[in-house]
Amino acid sequence: MISILRDFTKTWIFKGLMILIAASFIGVGGASYFSGSNSTDVIVAGNVKVTAAEFKANVDSMKRYYETQGQTITNEQLIAENIPGRLLAQLTDRKATIAWLDRLGVRPSSKLILAEVAKIPLFFNSVTGRFDMDTYRQQLASRDMTDKMFEADLREQIAEQQYISSAQAGLEAPRVFAATDAAFGLQSRDASMFFLSPQNVTMPGEPTQADIETFYKANLQRFTLPESRAASVITFSVVNYAKSVSVSDEDLRQLYESRRASLATPEVRTFVQVRAPDMAAANKVSAALKAGRSAEEAAKANKGEVISYSLRPQTAVADDKIAEAAFKMQTGEISAPVQGTLGISVIKMGEIKIGSAPSFESARAQLDEELRRQRATEKLNEATNAFADALAKGEEFDAAARRLNLTVAPLEPITADGMGRSGTNYSTYGALVKGIFDLPQVGSVSEVLPLGEGEYFALKLTGLQPSGAPPLAQVQAELAVLWRREKAAETINAEADKAMARLAKGETLAAVAASYKAEVRSQKAITLQTAQQMQMPQAVAARVFSSKAGETFVAEMPVQGVPAVAIGRLDAIHQGDATQANTMATMSKAQASQALGQDMGTVIQKNARVAVKAKSNTEAAYRALGLEPPAAAGSESSSKAGSKS
């Protein structure tokens, strides 16, 4: 369906529709190009720029996300899959659209941004269950972001989403789109085919030693193994030290008394703060509230602003002076004007819930765990300091471990992407893998390093295997298998070419199949659904549903690494029931309109790039990540002002 819709975007009908949108882009104006190939900016789109540092932050954020999913993205993968280039293209589309919208004056208000931020559960206080400014900033700081950076990003997302949604509003795909899709989905097809495999084609003999040597040299890159390193590791864990910690009842009671205040549930209050522009207005607001007017009415009449707090602790109030005043008031009380840090306000107090402290017994388990962890941490610190001091004085790694009763565990050879020789994936322990590959040579010893979650480790590099292909003798058996498999594929494909040539000259499918002692299999009324149910190979199904009646085809379909091909003919195409097709077309019309809307969004982005003369610097993107740019990229890859979408 998507391909049909995309084909429609090339027609004069769709271009006529798009010219209304495209024309508005062309009249917007231009933006400057990069001053030269030595620019360090990764993207310039109108007045919007993305620096090398910002681009690197985007990639680092993506890598951190995958690490939380147990996957590590190596530099080799970044290059092999052109991740920097793909991310650069997506980011350029977005920044160009934002720059264009900014020129049009499409900018979400600060009030809207803050309202959206306040809806995000990540920023809710775990106690109150509501948005909390401190939690908001702490969560952003843990992701190397400030509130300004996050709000700017959110502003861009909202602006782009609102504009594209508005452009797509009311868009309805022509009924012929859904009708064509429905008719295709209800078609059934008859096909006949036979299969060529090592069973009915003469295979090459066993490879000679010369064959294997030639194959090895020609495919040396395929067998090259990355550098691997083996190490000994000592781990220091708070959990392990906690097992040997003793905690008495007296210890717990002393901790309870010292922590009583912090264990208590804080007092929370519901109140309204009406911020006024000056003292005179504040006095009028106070009088209006005391006269029974609502906070909204009082604020509107005096150019004020209403800020509501619902069962919030004192620490959740943004203005410290307002918070102090509010938590001295009584239920229903209306204050005189209060001079806060951020301006003058009047407070109307609502519900008050007094805080409470837990009993010793109810807090006992929590205190026990906390005290054990605290003492375990002290033991861990003593052990790590003692071991670090021993190494600093020149004591040998293993000897120091024995003297301090520490366990040294051997680690199997590991590659830089965290894969062990046994197939174990160590990439979730990123600090450990990095520590191993930071050691300069065999015998080198690391400092005591953090592993995370109360664990630390120290390393000694015990072995290093440089990258390179293994010796021929070591992989001779595997090479023979690969050689036979590739030669078999070459032979079968060559025979398939001969068979197709014979069919093109007029021989029947049955005659060609018989010459290979293969059986022709005919299948009737194949639909997209039945093709999936019978697990028809994807390559074969693609040819069956893309061929014309009477057309012959060939499709590769290896089975578990064994080469094979299908040679067939599409015998007939049967159209589906017209009534059923009409019903399906009606049901799928919304999906067709949605797909058309997505294509419109793509057109909007491309034309925005033209309008603001967006330009992206591939070389700067790669260098921002410490990578060598692809040779083919040259000094710059850009979306130039005159390019057509």
Side-chain angles (χ1 to χ4, degrees):
M1 182 63 197
I2 295 298
S3 60
I4 297 173
L5 292 175
R6 294 191 186 283
D7 288 341
F8 176 72
T9 64
K10 300 175 183 178
T11 67
W12 68 269
I13 302 173
F14 186 80
K15 289 178 180 177
L17 175 66
M18 288 299 100
I19 198 169
L20 298 175
I21 297 174
S24 65
F25 284 99
I26 296 170
V28 172
S32 61
Y33 279 81
F34 287 113
S35 57
S37 62
N38 62 345
S39 171
T40 57
D41 287 324
V42 174
I43 297 171
V44 171
N47 63 345
V48 177
K49 291 185 179 182
V50 175
T51 66
E54 290 169 339
F55 183 77
K56 183 177 185 301
N58 271 272
V59 176
D60 289 344
S61 177
M62 175 195 68
K63 292 169 73 174
R64 280 196 299 271
Y65 168 77
Y66 281 105
E67 285 172 1
T68 64
Q69 307 301 309
Q71 302 177 47
T72 299
I73 299 178
T74 64
N75 286 345
E76 289 75 14
Q77 289 173 310
L78 287 174
I79 295 171
E81 300 178 29
N82 188 29
I83 292 175
R86 288 156 55 190
L87 182 60
L88 182 65
Q90 294 172 5
L91 200 55
T92 303
D93 281 342
R94 180 180 173 191
K95 294 300 182 182
T97 305
I98 294 304
W100 180 76
L101 293 175
D102 185 68
R103 288 185 177 183
L104 293 183
V106 179
R107 304 182 191 96
S109 68
S110 297
K111 185 176 181 180
L112 174 61
I113 299 303
L114 293 175
E116 291 299 318
V117 168
K119 295 176 184 177
I120 301 174
L122 181 66
F123 305 140
F124 288 7
N125 184 287
S126 59
V127 175
T128 65
R130 298 176 182 274
F131 174 77
D132 181 78
M133 184 61 72
D134 290 337
T135 303
Y136 171 47
R137 287 173 175 157
Q138 288 168 7
Q139 289 289 350
L140 292 181
S142 69
R143 291 161 174 77
D144 298 325
M145 293 186 74
T146 65
D147 49 350
K148 289 184 178 180
M149 292 166 60
F150 180 76
E151 288 162 18
D153 188 64
L154 187 60
R155 180 174 282 104
E156 291 181 358
Q157 290 183 41
I158 292 174
E160 183 179 26
Q161 182 182 16
Q162 287 186 342
Y163 180 80
I164 293 180
S165 296
S166 299
Q168 294 171 346
L171 180 66
E172 188 173 304
R175 193 174 185 282
V176 68
F177 275 29
T180 301
D181 188 46
F184 183 74
L186 290 173
Q187 274 185 0
S188 66
R189 299 186 171 214
D190 301 338
S192 301
M193 65 191 78
F194 68 92
F195 304 96
L196 292 181
S197 70
Q199 295 179 346
N200 46 19
V201 173
T202 302
M203 292 290 101
E206 290 297 309
T208 64
Q209 185 62 31
D211 289 332
I212 291 180
E213 290 176 1
T214 302
F215 187 74
Y216 174 73
K217 292 176 182 177
N219 295 275
L220 201 59
Q221 191 63 34
R222 292 171 60 183
F223 311 125
T224 298
L225 299 174
E227 177 185 324
S228 63
R229 296 184 170 205
S232 294
V233 62
I234 299 172
T235 56
F236 305 85
S237 171
V238 167
V239 174
N240 289 336
Y241 283 111
K243 296 174 183 177
S244 62
V245 169
S246 60
V247 175
S248 68
D249 192 68
E250 182 182 353
D251 293 334
L252 293 177
R253 288 191 178 277
Q254 288 179 357
L255 181 59
Y256 172 74
E257 293 301 328
S258 66
R259 293 286 309 282
R260 186 194 293 266
S262 61
L263 291 170
T265 301
E267 177 182 323
V268 293
R269 296 187 171 210
T270 296
F271 63 92
V272 174
Q273 172 191 353
V274 181
R275 187 180 294 165
D278 52 43
M279 184 61 74
N283 282 318
K284 292 179 182 178
V285 168
S286 180
L289 293 175
K290 291 176 181 178
R293 302 282 296 278
S294 69
E296 288 71 18
E297 290 174 333
K300 184 176 181 181
N302 296 282
K303 299 181 180 180
E305 177 186 7
V306 177
I307 302 172
S308 299
Y309 292 92
S310 178
L311 295 178
R312 305 303 300 275
Q314 186 169 345
T315 55
V317 181
D319 192 315
D320 292 340
K321 292 183 179 179
I322 297 298
E324 183 180 356
F327 275 74
K328 292 179 180 178
M329 294 172 62
Q330 301 299 316
T331 300
E333 184 180 352
I334 297 170
S335 75
V338 178
Q339 179 62 59
T341 305
L342 304 176
I344 301 172
S345 298
V346 176
I347 304 166
K348 180 180 180 181
M349 185 55 58
E351 181 183 3
I352 298 175
K353 285 190 176 182
I354 304 300
S356 61
S359 67
F360 170 73
E361 289 304 325
S362 65
R364 184 189 186 98
Q366 177 186 341
L367 294 172
D368 183 82
E369 180 182 354
E370 182 180 331
L371 191 53
R372 285 182 184 278
R373 187 172 184 84
Q374 177 184 330
R375 292 182 177 179
T377 301
E378 291 171 359
K379 284 195 170 189
L380 181 145
N381 290 337
E382 290 173 3
T384 55
N385 289 336
F387 185 71
D389 290 343
L391 295 181
K393 292 176 181 177
E395 191 169 355
E396 197 271 331
F397 185 90
D398 295 278
R402 285 193 298 271
R403 181 174 63 81
L404 297 170
N405 198 28
L406 301 173
T407 301
V408 178
L411 284 174
E412 64 176 313
I414 300 171
T415 60
D417 61 1
M419 291 304 300
R421 181 176 291 173
S422 65
T424 303
N425 188 349
Y426 295 88
S427 61
T428 52
Y429 303 102
L432 180 68
V433 177
K434 183 177 184 301
I436 292 173
F437 278 81
D438 281 346
L439 295 173
Q441 59 190 19
V442 173
S444 298
V445 174
S446 75
E447 299 176 348
V448 177
L449 302 169
L451 188 60
E453 298 184 0
E455 293 193 347
Y456 295 80
F457 67 94
L459 295 164
K460 177 183 177 181
L461 190 61
T462 57
L464 188 156
Q465 179 64 49
S467 63
L472 174 61
Q474 185 177 327
V475 292
Q476 179 130 342
E478 291 85 350
L479 287 172
V481 172
L482 290 173
W483 184 91
R484 285 193 293 269
R485 186 175 296 170
E486 292 200 5
K487 291 300 178 183
E490 290 175 6
T491 302
I492 289 173
N493 287 332
E495 290 298 330
D497 290 341
K498 294 177 184 178
M500 291 297 289
R502 291 168 61 185
L503 291 171
K505 291 179 180 179
E507 284 193 59
T508 66
L509 190 69
V512 175
S515 68
Y516 289 103
K517 298 181 180 180
E519 177 187 358
V520 175
R521 301 178 185 177
S522 296
Q523 293 177 307
K524 304 291 186 181
I526 306 169
T527 66
L528 290 171
Q529 184 175 5
T530 59
Q532 293 178 347
Q533 292 172 347
M534 68 176 67
Q535 297 183 336
M536 179 180 286
Q538 188 174 1
V540 177
R543 296 311 306 268
V544 168
F545 287 96
S546 62
S547 298
K548 299 176 182 178
E551 186 178 354
T552 56
F553 60 82
V554 60
E556 294 187 17
M557 42 166 293
V559 180
Q560 296 181 347
V562 178
V565 298
I567 296 174
R569 179 187 64 238
L570 186 66
D571 298 322
I573 299 175
H574 308 289
Q575 300 301 332
D577 179 72
T579 302
Q580 188 177 1
N582 184 59
T583 302
M584 284 185 62
T586 302
M587 295 174 63
S588 63
K589 189 174 181 181
Q591 295 177 345
S593 297
Q594 182 180 13
L596 182 59
Q598 291 172 348
D599 283 337
M600 177 183 284
T602 301
V603 171
I604 290 173
Q605 288 182 331
K606 289 184 177 180
N607 281 285
R609 290 178 71 147
V610 174
V612 300
K613 300 182 179 179
K615 199 159 188 180
S616 56
N617 190 328
T618 303
E619 180 176 352
Y622 270 80
R623 295 207 182 282
L625 305 177
L627 304 175
E628 190 65 28
S635 61
E636 215 172 70
S637 174
S638 60
S639 302
K640 297 184 179 179
S643 64
K644 301 288 183 183
S645 58

